Amino acid sequence: MPRFLRIDMKKGTAEFQDVPEKYLALGGRALTSQMVSDEVPATCNPLGERNKLIIAPGLLSGTNAPSSGRLSVGGKSPLTGGIKEANAGGICAQKLANLDIKAMIVEGKPAEKGAWMVKVSPEGAEVLKADDLVGKGTYEVTAILRERYGSKVGVICIGPAGEYMLMGAGVATNDAEGNSSRYAGRGGLGAVMGSKGLKAIVIDSPNTFDVPVQDKERFSAAAKKFAKILLEHPVTGSGLPNFGTNVLMNIISEAGTLPVKNFGNNGRFDKANEVSGERLAEVAKARGGKATHVCHPGCVMRCSNVYPMPDGKVCSPIEYETAWCFGPNLGISDLDVVAKLNYICNDAGLDTIEMGVALGVLMEAGVIPFGDADAAVAALEEVAKGTPAGRILGNGAVFVGKAYGITRVAAVKGQSIPAYDPRSCKGNGVTYATSPMGGDHTAGYAVTANILKVGGFVDPTKAEGQVELSRNLQIATAAVDATGLCLFVAFAVLDNPEGLPTIVEMLNAQYGLSLEVDDVVTLGQNILKTERAFNAAAGLSSVDDRLPEFFYTDKLAPHNTVFDIKDEELDTVFNF
Amino acid sequence: MPRFLRIDMKKGTAEFQDVPEKYLALGGRALTSQMVSDEVPATCNPLGERNKLIIAPGLLSGTNAPSSGRLSVGGKSPLTGGIKEANAGGICAQKLANLDIKAMIVEGKPAEKGAWMVKVSPEGAEVLKADDLVGKGTYEVTAILRERYGSKVGVICIGPAGEYMLMGAGVATNDAEGNSSRYAGRGGLGAVMGSKGLKAIVIDSPNTFDVPVQDKERFSAAAKKFAKILLEHPVTGSGLPNFGTNVLMNIISEAGTLPVKNFGNNGRFDKANEVSGERLAEVAKARGGKATHVCHPGCVMRCSNVYPMPDGKVCSPIEYETAWCFGPNLGISDLDVVAKLNYICNDAGLDTIEMGVALGVLMEAGVIPFGDADAAVAALEEVAKGTPAGRILGNGAVFVGKAYGITRVAAVKGQSIPAYDPRSCKGNGVTYATSPMGGDHTAGYAVTANILKVGGFVDPTKAEGQVELSRNLQIATAAVDATGLCLFVAFAVLDNPEGLPTIVEMLNAQYGLSLEVDDVVTLGQNILKTERAFNAAAGLSSVDDRLPEFFYTDKLAPHNTVFDIKDEELDTVFNF
């Protein structure tokens, strides 16, 4: 029977509970957002006693459905002031699901300062003192806990940034090799975990794919079919498995929508190739790393990579958005620098996108020069030290902007906009502006139809069609985020009419349901409605569904376009 | 004829303009708020090109109406994200009014970095380069400009904090002796001035009381009567002229509503007397300073003081709220330390209240210990240096809280709550929560009826009657802030039925109007409606009309009360 594991950090207790009926058909983002909406007062202080951290595997997690190992983490975001779900790969979703844990709810705050951890296994769950882990980076924490509890455990943890409750702090999970570099990175959920004094969660489960499935045969057939659909699509079957997400670097630069030097006015970076996925694959292989790699067992897309750094450490993975924010966005074209900045973030427990954009603002302010790799590394290293400069940076791009009086800050609802300039990838601009998550490319990834011509084509430089595109993608994404499937399955699903029905078939076979495709759309819509209602109650309004001013006024070369989708149109995104 | 002086910082021009009919009957806060509402897009970035700084004397400023020298400064606040009017004493309102300048509008932003000043005199107005003033404190800037343009000029300027565009930066004006320590302090308007590259405004006017008055005899009679009303009231005629505003220290501590050590849970400070107005008068006099003093010619309340510091410098004035925030709020009981912190703020161009509350949060975080005067001075000195630590502090209490993960931050709409704990001065709590200005004691000073028994008595520890009290005071205050009269006249006006009619009589005599007392109430209501509408358009809502969580949960000794006015009641404050 599926269970909730409720951790009360005030009392120091861990209790298993029955799952109320209303939550049984929810998972991942659907579950975290519904529970946050039900249990967290929308106006509470995100770092206060009344916020909660909800951790939930997806509906399909723990089965052998391909690429279904995403772990959703939810709460009220200290960065956006609204609801947040961030999801990560790694092995923890599968392990939690295989312990029949539908969600972990972390609530309350300890009366005294200190650090604790939660250990959960088939034998039970307990809250333990973890003062020995205080101040340690995620790599070391994970290594210590794997040493202590066995190399197969899943570890969810925070770094010093989360302990300091910085708004750029994420929640880390590990892959099978023990790298603590899979991140529910966005929105400062690491700070929420830190505010509760919770340094780490160890999940000790012997199983990976053994979640109960009602109709095994039917499920197995559907899962196989789904794997085939993924493998046959050029993006999920070839682009990602060969080069990882950073296959996008040259494509996005070529398309003229690559933000360069803090979202300057040129959408191409002349040295894009030097930090591209192609180059990364070459270097990684030459150094004995891996061009591609799975972040959790059973993934067929294998988009992760293993990048050996000159100092002997390994960074795994380097995503496109990370390569962008530490590369072109800073005027840096050295993959080793990108890897180093990425590694520092992973270890300190920081969202790479937030830090890359924040460093760009620091460069805009002239505190450090654009292109200065050593200065960028030195600035980022301050975060884990907890110095004033580190606390400014670690709180993200908007905070840096306020510290230095900079208005050119690419963020929505306080959260940094990533690697696709909204002036010439306007579908993404609509998503950035309107997603209940704040500036977030994954929430409605219009790069598909805008740039990659997946699921049709909508001219990225024109206003027409972008609202509808973003709306449909936001709905679909919310639903996918409920399943535990990696969002990247969307590339195949959007192009293959069999895709969505096959996901529905897996869900029906697993849970003995009789869902239809329309039900998945309804699920996505409901998630968004729940999230929007929370945000409205938290004080967010249509005023917050806007891009920063400069995107409306400063033209981006080479297309020489501005973001010109009208406020009234943006306000129709959630008309459903 | 009254004129607007419009300064375009992009073009570097200063132009006189006719005043449109609709603005003729407005002044002070009524004028700044209406113009901000008309000319500033509510959703603009407060430090961006579209915000404006509006500087306006009150309706009675420049006449010999007693205590009518307040200068209103308005704009969109970087601190609150809403509309802001902050007003200051000093000689500038009278000088502007005597040049027939109804308002100065500072708009646009220079294309390049740099510093400019505006010089205005009977001969005209011009924008001048002011690179020699960059980085200088307000005392030095004022001294240089008085040296250059004559010792009688009025100087409006910002310090380094404003140049850095920090959210705690205020706009300074000078008194007749040249002290640049009269502050339109609140809401970060100094940062708005800084964002426009405007370091200083010099106002060279030969006249003080010579504004045209339509019926001089009638005006003179009313002004005399008003002076008598002020002089006959115990607060305005005795308490303030003998001890200044800091006469409140012992009273508020005795009343058990003095916030101590970052709004801890005891409303009394055992060493209150050591930083009281009585003690201040004693020390100031003993050192050759002044217990009381006027901040502008024609004030009968003389609530300012001149405090000689041990290092030979002079701090003028030390207000009650400043003595509180640098004294009891930090666990400090040494007037010389208070004076030093006050002086540093004046010179750097910082709002003392915001800095005192921010230092309290820094102490709450354990960055420096409560009561450590040297550490407080050192921390505050960082602001003018522009170091990361200084930028954190200079951005105010909420910013410090976010830098250090502290939730106990006494602020509303981003602005710090001052010297009266809302748990046992609940009328002020209603004002803090609901004023369109954010946490602001002056916006509806319920200390009158709650503590001082002026204008009736409403038990400060009870919820009953506070909403009505705050509503009426907010309306009256908005109207008073339009006249240029110092808000302190309210003590007498609330207790004397002749008070308000006499103000109306002065206005009628000056402008040839036939206003009645009800019209003043309507004026106050209209100002608040305009401000509330701007804030709503800027994205603020009832969610922002709330106190921080801890005021609702942590009891304050000795009355052992929490703030318990219901949200639904708070939402009725503006039902008019």
PDB file of all heavy atoms in Angstrom, chain A residues 3-8 13-17 19 53 55 96 99-106 118-121 124-126 201:
ATOM      1  N   ARG A   3       2.294   4.822   0.846  1.00  0.00           N
ATOM      2  CA  ARG A   3       2.324   5.498   2.148  1.00  0.00           C
ATOM      3  C   ARG A   3       2.855   6.919   2.014  1.00  0.00           C
ATOM      4  O   ARG A   3       3.607   7.231   1.088  1.00  0.00           O
ATOM      5  CB  ARG A   3       3.284   4.739   3.086  1.00  0.00           C
ATOM      6  CG  ARG A   3       3.012   3.268   3.209  1.00  0.00           C
ATOM      7  CD  ARG A   3       4.036   2.594   4.112  1.00  0.00           C
ATOM      8  NE  ARG A   3       5.366   2.489   3.508  1.00  0.00           N
ATOM      9  CZ  ARG A   3       6.429   1.977   4.134  1.00  0.00           C
ATOM     10  NH1 ARG A   3       6.325   1.551   5.403  1.00  0.00           N
ATOM     11  NH2 ARG A   3       7.595   1.902   3.535  1.00  0.00           N
ATOM     12  N   PHE A   4       2.480   7.729   2.947  1.00  0.00           N
ATOM     13  CA  PHE A   4       3.161   9.007   3.129  1.00  0.00           C
ATOM     14  C   PHE A   4       4.173   8.816   4.253  1.00  0.00           C
ATOM     15  O   PHE A   4       3.901   8.098   5.221  1.00  0.00           O
ATOM     16  CB  PHE A   4       2.178  10.108   3.564  1.00  0.00           C
ATOM     17  CG  PHE A   4       1.391  10.729   2.441  1.00  0.00           C
ATOM     18  CD1 PHE A   4       0.276  11.515   2.715  1.00  0.00           C
ATOM     19  CD2 PHE A   4       1.765  10.556   1.109  1.00  0.00           C
ATOM     20  CE1 PHE A   4      -0.450  12.112   1.692  1.00  0.00           C
ATOM     21  CE2 PHE A   4       1.037  11.146   0.076  1.00  0.00           C
ATOM     22  CZ  PHE A   4      -0.073  11.921   0.372  1.00  0.00           C
ATOM     23  N   LEU A   5       5.304   9.482   4.117  1.00  0.00           N
ATOM     24  CA  LEU A   5       6.256   9.530   5.224  1.00  0.00           C
ATOM     25  C   LEU A   5       6.317  10.990   5.686  1.00  0.00           C
ATOM     26  O   LEU A   5       6.795  11.861   4.958  1.00  0.00           O
ATOM     27  CB  LEU A   5       7.646   9.053   4.776  1.00  0.00           C
ATOM     28  CG  LEU A   5       8.749   9.176   5.827  1.00  0.00           C
ATOM     29  CD1 LEU A   5       8.393   8.460   7.123  1.00  0.00           C
ATOM     30  CD2 LEU A   5      10.077   8.639   5.273  1.00  0.00           C
ATOM     31  N   ARG A   6       5.766  11.231   6.864  1.00  0.00           N
ATOM     32  CA  ARG A   6       5.676  12.610   7.355  1.00  0.00           C
ATOM     33  C   ARG A   6       6.755  12.845   8.408  1.00  0.00           C
ATOM     34  O   ARG A   6       6.799  12.180   9.441  1.00  0.00           O
ATOM     35  CB  ARG A   6       4.282  12.873   7.929  1.00  0.00           C
ATOM     36  CG  ARG A   6       3.968  14.344   8.152  1.00  0.00           C
ATOM     37  CD  ARG A   6       2.514  14.566   8.560  1.00  0.00           C
ATOM     38  NE  ARG A   6       1.576  14.344   7.472  1.00  0.00           N
ATOM     39  CZ  ARG A   6       1.148  15.289   6.619  1.00  0.00           C
ATOM     40  NH1 ARG A   6       1.582  16.525   6.748  1.00  0.00           N
ATOM     41  NH2 ARG A   6       0.292  15.009   5.665  1.00  0.00           N
ATOM     42  N   ILE A   7       7.621  13.792   8.107  1.00  0.00           N
ATOM     43  CA  ILE A   7       8.747  14.115   8.987  1.00  0.00           C
ATOM     44  C   ILE A   7       8.429  15.422   9.707  1.00  0.00           C
ATOM     45  O   ILE A   7       8.281  16.453   9.058  1.00  0.00           O
ATOM     46  CB  ILE A   7      10.046  14.325   8.173  1.00  0.00           C
ATOM     47  CG1 ILE A   7      10.242  13.233   7.119  1.00  0.00           C
ATOM     48  CG2 ILE A   7      11.240  14.488   9.091  1.00  0.00           C
ATOM     49  CD1 ILE A   7      10.581  11.898   7.678  1.00  0.00           C
ATOM     50  N   ASP A   8       8.334  15.362  11.002  1.00  0.00           N
ATOM     51  CA  ASP A   8       8.096  16.586  11.779  1.00  0.00           C
ATOM     52  C   ASP A   8       9.420  17.021  12.393  1.00  0.00           C
ATOM     53  O   ASP A   8       9.917  16.408  13.341  1.00  0.00           O
ATOM     54  CB  ASP A   8       7.042  16.302  12.859  1.00  0.00           C
ATOM     55  CG  ASP A   8       6.670  17.562  13.640  1.00  0.00           C
ATOM     56  OD1 ASP A   8       7.557  18.433  13.823  1.00  0.00           O
ATOM     57  OD2 ASP A   8       5.506  17.665  14.055  1.00  0.00           O
ATOM     58  N   THR A  13      10.260  13.554  14.567  1.00  0.00           N
ATOM     59  CA  THR A  13       9.611  12.267  14.318  1.00  0.00           C
ATOM     60  C   THR A  13       9.435  11.985  12.832  1.00  0.00           C
ATOM     61  O   THR A  13       9.331  12.900  12.020  1.00  0.00           O
ATOM     62  CB  THR A  13       8.214  12.232  14.968  1.00  0.00           C
ATOM     63  OG1 THR A  13       7.459  13.346  14.469  1.00  0.00           O
ATOM     64  CG2 THR A  13       8.315  12.331  16.480  1.00  0.00           C
ATOM     65  N   ALA A  14       9.408  10.705  12.505  1.00  0.00           N
ATOM     66  CA  ALA A  14       9.140  10.252  11.137  1.00  0.00           C
ATOM     67  C   ALA A  14       8.022   9.226  11.213  1.00  0.00           C
ATOM     68  O   ALA A  14       8.187   8.184  11.842  1.00  0.00           O
ATOM     69  CB  ALA A  14      10.396   9.637  10.536  1.00  0.00           C
ATOM     70  N   GLU A  15       6.900   9.553  10.599  1.00  0.00           N
ATOM     71  CA  GLU A  15       5.725   8.672  10.723  1.00  0.00           C
ATOM     72  C   GLU A  15       5.184   8.274   9.369  1.00  0.00           C
ATOM     73  O   GLU A  15       4.991   9.120   8.492  1.00  0.00           O
ATOM     74  CB  GLU A  15       4.607   9.444  11.430  1.00  0.00           C
ATOM     75  CG  GLU A  15       4.432   9.101  12.880  1.00  0.00           C
ATOM     76  CD  GLU A  15       3.283   9.900  13.467  1.00  0.00           C
ATOM     77  OE1 GLU A  15       2.151   9.832  12.943  1.00  0.00           O
ATOM     78  OE2 GLU A  15       3.546  10.614  14.448  1.00  0.00           O
ATOM     79  N   PHE A  16       4.883   7.002   9.230  1.00  0.00           N
ATOM     80  CA  PHE A  16       4.201   6.562   8.012  1.00  0.00           C
ATOM     81  C   PHE A  16       2.705   6.774   8.183  1.00  0.00           C
ATOM     82  O   PHE A  16       2.160   6.572   9.269  1.00  0.00           O
ATOM     83  CB  PHE A  16       4.503   5.095   7.727  1.00  0.00           C
ATOM     84  CG  PHE A  16       5.913   4.884   7.247  1.00  0.00           C
ATOM     85  CD1 PHE A  16       6.900   4.403   8.106  1.00  0.00           C
ATOM     86  CD2 PHE A  16       6.261   5.178   5.941  1.00  0.00           C
ATOM     87  CE1 PHE A  16       8.203   4.222   7.665  1.00  0.00           C
ATOM     88  CE2 PHE A  16       7.563   4.998   5.488  1.00  0.00           C
ATOM     89  CZ  PHE A  16       8.534   4.528   6.364  1.00  0.00           C
ATOM     90  N   GLN A  17       2.071   7.177   7.109  1.00  0.00           N
ATOM     91  CA  GLN A  17       0.621   7.433   7.159  1.00  0.00           C
ATOM     92  C   GLN A  17      -0.036   6.840   5.915  1.00  0.00           C
ATOM     93  O   GLN A  17       0.608   6.739   4.863  1.00  0.00           O
ATOM     94  CB  GLN A  17       0.352   8.942   7.176  1.00  0.00           C
ATOM     95  CG  GLN A  17       0.992   9.668   8.337  1.00  0.00           C
ATOM     96  CD  GLN A  17       0.719  11.168   8.284  1.00  0.00           C
ATOM     97  OE1 GLN A  17       0.692  11.752   7.204  1.00  0.00           O
ATOM     98  NE2 GLN A  17       0.542  11.780   9.438  1.00  0.00           N
ATOM     99  N   VAL A  19      -2.304   7.019   2.666  1.00  0.00           N
ATOM    100  CA  VAL A  19      -2.505   8.089   1.692  1.00  0.00           C
ATOM    101  C   VAL A  19      -4.008   8.328   1.526  1.00  0.00           C
ATOM    102  O   VAL A  19      -4.741   7.408   1.165  1.00  0.00           O
ATOM    103  CB  VAL A  19      -1.886   7.708   0.332  1.00  0.00           C
ATOM    104  CG1 VAL A  19      -2.178   8.788  -0.701  1.00  0.00           C
ATOM    105  CG2 VAL A  19      -0.386   7.489   0.484  1.00  0.00           C
ATOM    106  N   LEU A  53       8.232  20.971   2.786  1.00  0.00           N
ATOM    107  CA  LEU A  53       8.942  20.446   1.622  1.00  0.00           C
ATOM    108  C   LEU A  53       8.312  19.090   1.304  1.00  0.00           C
ATOM    109  O   LEU A  53       8.264  18.211   2.173  1.00  0.00           O
ATOM    110  CB  LEU A  53      10.424  20.287   1.962  1.00  0.00           C
ATOM    111  CG  LEU A  53      11.358  20.036   0.786  1.00  0.00           C
ATOM    112  CD1 LEU A  53      11.552  21.334  -0.024  1.00  0.00           C
ATOM    113  CD2 LEU A  53      12.721  19.538   1.266  1.00  0.00           C
ATOM    114  N   ILE A  55       8.323  15.808  -1.158  1.00  0.00           N
ATOM    115  CA  ILE A  55       9.194  15.080  -2.093  1.00  0.00           C
ATOM    116  C   ILE A  55       8.433  13.868  -2.602  1.00  0.00           C
ATOM    117  O   ILE A  55       8.008  13.022  -1.806  1.00  0.00           O
ATOM    118  CB  ILE A  55      10.483  14.638  -1.385  1.00  0.00           C
ATOM    119  CG1 ILE A  55      11.208  15.866  -0.819  1.00  0.00           C
ATOM    120  CG2 ILE A  55      11.380  13.852  -2.337  1.00  0.00           C
ATOM    121  CD1 ILE A  55      12.410  15.530   0.046  1.00  0.00           C
ATOM    122  N   LEU A  96      12.451   5.557  -3.551  1.00  0.00           N
ATOM    123  CA  LEU A  96      11.299   5.920  -2.720  1.00  0.00           C
ATOM    124  C   LEU A  96      10.065   5.145  -3.148  1.00  0.00           C
ATOM    125  O   LEU A  96       9.331   4.597  -2.303  1.00  0.00           O
ATOM    126  CB  LEU A  96      11.009   7.427  -2.820  1.00  0.00           C
ATOM    127  CG  LEU A  96      11.823   8.355  -1.918  1.00  0.00           C
ATOM    128  CD1 LEU A  96      11.475   9.814  -2.215  1.00  0.00           C
ATOM    129  CD2 LEU A  96      11.583   8.054  -0.428  1.00  0.00           C
ATOM    130  N   LEU A  99       9.898   1.745  -1.935  1.00  0.00           N
ATOM    131  CA  LEU A  99       9.559   1.623  -0.506  1.00  0.00           C
ATOM    132  C   LEU A  99       8.092   1.987  -0.276  1.00  0.00           C
ATOM    133  O   LEU A  99       7.674   2.244   0.862  1.00  0.00           O
ATOM    134  CB  LEU A  99      10.469   2.530   0.336  1.00  0.00           C
ATOM    135  CG  LEU A  99      11.939   2.113   0.439  1.00  0.00           C
ATOM    136  CD1 LEU A  99      12.751   3.199   1.156  1.00  0.00           C
ATOM    137  CD2 LEU A  99      12.098   0.770   1.148  1.00  0.00           C
ATOM    138  N   ASP A 100       7.330   2.024  -1.382  1.00  0.00           N
ATOM    139  CA  ASP A 100       5.893   2.361  -1.315  1.00  0.00           C
ATOM    140  C   ASP A 100       5.656   3.770  -0.779  1.00  0.00           C
ATOM    141  O   ASP A 100       4.583   4.064  -0.236  1.00  0.00           O
ATOM    142  CB  ASP A 100       5.127   1.374  -0.408  1.00  0.00           C
ATOM    143  CG  ASP A 100       5.059  -0.008  -1.014  1.00  0.00           C
ATOM    144  OD1 ASP A 100       5.037  -0.093  -2.258  1.00  0.00           O
ATOM    145  OD2 ASP A 100       5.045  -0.980  -0.244  1.00  0.00           O
ATOM    146  N   ILE A 101       6.664   4.623  -0.900  1.00  0.00           N
ATOM    147  CA  ILE A 101       6.489   5.989  -0.382  1.00  0.00           C
ATOM    148  C   ILE A 101       6.022   6.894  -1.514  1.00  0.00           C
ATOM    149  O   ILE A 101       6.754   7.166  -2.463  1.00  0.00           O
ATOM    150  CB  ILE A 101       7.788   6.507   0.254  1.00  0.00           C
ATOM    151  CG1 ILE A 101       8.090   5.657   1.489  1.00  0.00           C
ATOM    152  CG2 ILE A 101       7.649   7.983   0.645  1.00  0.00           C
ATOM    153  CD1 ILE A 101       9.408   5.953   2.138  1.00  0.00           C
ATOM    154  N   LYS A 102       4.804   7.326  -1.383  1.00  0.00           N
ATOM    155  CA  LYS A 102       4.210   8.175  -2.421  1.00  0.00           C
ATOM    156  C   LYS A 102       4.682   9.613  -2.266  1.00  0.00           C
ATOM    157  O   LYS A 102       4.806  10.340  -3.258  1.00  0.00           O
ATOM    158  CB  LYS A 102       2.686   8.104  -2.299  1.00  0.00           C
ATOM    159  CG  LYS A 102       1.983   8.436  -3.588  1.00  0.00           C
ATOM    160  CD  LYS A 102       0.574   7.927  -3.624  1.00  0.00           C
ATOM    161  CE  LYS A 102      -0.131   8.464  -4.865  1.00  0.00           C
ATOM    162  NZ  LYS A 102       0.479   7.992  -6.125  1.00  0.00           N
ATOM    163  N   ALA A 103       4.930  10.010  -1.042  1.00  0.00           N
ATOM    164  CA  ALA A 103       5.490  11.346  -0.799  1.00  0.00           C
ATOM    165  C   ALA A 103       6.109  11.400   0.587  1.00  0.00           C
ATOM    166  O   ALA A 103       5.633  10.748   1.522  1.00  0.00           O
ATOM    167  CB  ALA A 103       4.420  12.427  -0.921  1.00  0.00           C
ATOM    168  N   MET A 104       7.183  12.144   0.699  1.00  0.00           N
ATOM    169  CA  MET A 104       7.728  12.528   2.003  1.00  0.00           C
ATOM    170  C   MET A 104       7.311  13.967   2.241  1.00  0.00           C
ATOM    171  O   MET A 104       7.461  14.810   1.361  1.00  0.00           O
ATOM    172  CB  MET A 104       9.255  12.486   1.979  1.00  0.00           C
ATOM    173  CG  MET A 104       9.857  11.109   2.114  1.00  0.00           C
ATOM    174  SD  MET A 104      11.672  11.238   2.218  1.00  0.00           S
ATOM    175  CE  MET A 104      11.852  12.208   3.716  1.00  0.00           C
ATOM    176  N   ILE A 105       6.800  14.227   3.424  1.00  0.00           N
ATOM    177  CA  ILE A 105       6.415  15.591   3.777  1.00  0.00           C
ATOM    178  C   ILE A 105       7.326  16.024   4.921  1.00  0.00           C
ATOM    179  O   ILE A 105       7.322  15.413   5.987  1.00  0.00           O
ATOM    180  CB  ILE A 105       4.949  15.658   4.240  1.00  0.00           C
ATOM    181  CG1 ILE A 105       4.028  15.103   3.154  1.00  0.00           C
ATOM    182  CG2 ILE A 105       4.556  17.092   4.604  1.00  0.00           C
ATOM    183  CD1 ILE A 105       3.358  13.805   3.524  1.00  0.00           C
ATOM    184  N   VAL A 106       8.101  17.061   4.679  1.00  0.00           N
ATOM    185  CA  VAL A 106       8.988  17.584   5.731  1.00  0.00           C
ATOM    186  C   VAL A 106       8.372  18.867   6.250  1.00  0.00           C
ATOM    187  O   VAL A 106       8.182  19.822   5.490  1.00  0.00           O
ATOM    188  CB  VAL A 106      10.404  17.845   5.184  1.00  0.00           C
ATOM    189  CG1 VAL A 106      11.323  18.293   6.313  1.00  0.00           C
ATOM    190  CG2 VAL A 106      10.942  16.618   4.477  1.00  0.00           C
ATOM    191  N   VAL A 118      17.442  12.209   7.707  1.00  0.00           N
ATOM    192  CA  VAL A 118      16.406  11.189   7.779  1.00  0.00           C
ATOM    193  C   VAL A 118      16.941   9.935   7.106  1.00  0.00           C
ATOM    194  O   VAL A 118      17.558  10.013   6.046  1.00  0.00           O
ATOM    195  CB  VAL A 118      15.111  11.658   7.073  1.00  0.00           C
ATOM    196  CG1 VAL A 118      14.141  10.503   6.899  1.00  0.00           C
ATOM    197  CG2 VAL A 118      14.464  12.797   7.857  1.00  0.00           C
ATOM    198  N   LYS A 119      16.751   8.828   7.767  1.00  0.00           N
ATOM    199  CA  LYS A 119      17.139   7.548   7.162  1.00  0.00           C
ATOM    200  C   LYS A 119      15.861   6.748   6.965  1.00  0.00           C
ATOM    201  O   LYS A 119      15.085   6.582   7.904  1.00  0.00           O
ATOM    202  CB  LYS A 119      18.082   6.827   8.130  1.00  0.00           C
ATOM    203  CG  LYS A 119      18.283   5.340   7.847  1.00  0.00           C
ATOM    204  CD  LYS A 119      19.434   5.093   6.888  1.00  0.00           C
ATOM    205  CE  LYS A 119      19.425   3.675   6.321  1.00  0.00           C
ATOM    206  NZ  LYS A 119      19.292   2.630   7.323  1.00  0.00           N
ATOM    207  N   VAL A 120      15.654   6.258   5.741  1.00  0.00           N
ATOM    208  CA  VAL A 120      14.472   5.442   5.484  1.00  0.00           C
ATOM    209  C   VAL A 120      14.877   4.172   4.748  1.00  0.00           C
ATOM    210  O   VAL A 120      15.710   4.204   3.836  1.00  0.00           O
ATOM    211  CB  VAL A 120      13.373   6.262   4.738  1.00  0.00           C
ATOM    212  CG1 VAL A 120      13.917   6.918   3.490  1.00  0.00           C
ATOM    213  CG2 VAL A 120      12.173   5.401   4.408  1.00  0.00           C
ATOM    214  N   SER A 121      14.325   3.073   5.182  1.00  0.00           N
ATOM    215  CA  SER A 121      14.659   1.764   4.612  1.00  0.00           C
ATOM    216  C   SER A 121      13.431   0.866   4.776  1.00  0.00           C
ATOM    217  O   SER A 121      12.435   1.286   5.372  1.00  0.00           O
ATOM    218  CB  SER A 121      15.862   1.172   5.363  1.00  0.00           C
ATOM    219  OG  SER A 121      15.452   0.783   6.665  1.00  0.00           O
ATOM    220  N   GLY A 124      12.041   0.909   8.293  1.00  0.00           N
ATOM    221  CA  GLY A 124      11.366   2.057   8.898  1.00  0.00           C
ATOM    222  C   GLY A 124      12.083   3.355   8.589  1.00  0.00           C
ATOM    223  O   GLY A 124      12.959   3.399   7.712  1.00  0.00           O
ATOM    224  N   ALA A 125      11.706   4.371   9.328  1.00  0.00           N
ATOM    225  CA  ALA A 125      12.282   5.700   9.079  1.00  0.00           C
ATOM    226  C   ALA A 125      12.577   6.375  10.402  1.00  0.00           C
ATOM    227  O   ALA A 125      11.852   6.196  11.375  1.00  0.00           O
ATOM    228  CB  ALA A 125      11.314   6.557   8.269  1.00  0.00           C
ATOM    229  N   GLU A 126      13.660   7.143  10.436  1.00  0.00           N
ATOM    230  CA  GLU A 126      13.984   7.867  11.659  1.00  0.00           C
ATOM    231  C   GLU A 126      14.713   9.169  11.340  1.00  0.00           C
ATOM    232  O   GLU A 126      15.327   9.323  10.292  1.00  0.00           O
ATOM    233  CB  GLU A 126      14.825   7.000  12.603  1.00  0.00           C
ATOM    234  CG  GLU A 126      16.075   6.459  11.952  1.00  0.00           C
ATOM    235  CD  GLU A 126      16.821   5.446  12.835  1.00  0.00           C
ATOM    236  OE1 GLU A 126      16.715   5.532  14.076  1.00  0.00           O
ATOM    237  OE2 GLU A 126      17.537   4.589  12.263  1.00  0.00           O
ATOM    238  N   ILE A 201      18.758  13.132   3.303  1.00  0.00           N
ATOM    239  CA  ILE A 201      17.822  12.010   3.423  1.00  0.00           C
ATOM    240  C   ILE A 201      18.489  10.808   2.757  1.00  0.00           C
ATOM    241  O   ILE A 201      18.923  10.906   1.607  1.00  0.00           O
ATOM    242  CB  ILE A 201      16.492  12.326   2.695  1.00  0.00           C
ATOM    243  CG1 ILE A 201      15.839  13.581   3.296  1.00  0.00           C
ATOM    244  CG2 ILE A 201      15.546  11.130   2.738  1.00  0.00           C
ATOM    245  CD1 ILE A 201      14.743  14.183   2.414  1.00  0.00           C
TER     246      ILE A 201
END
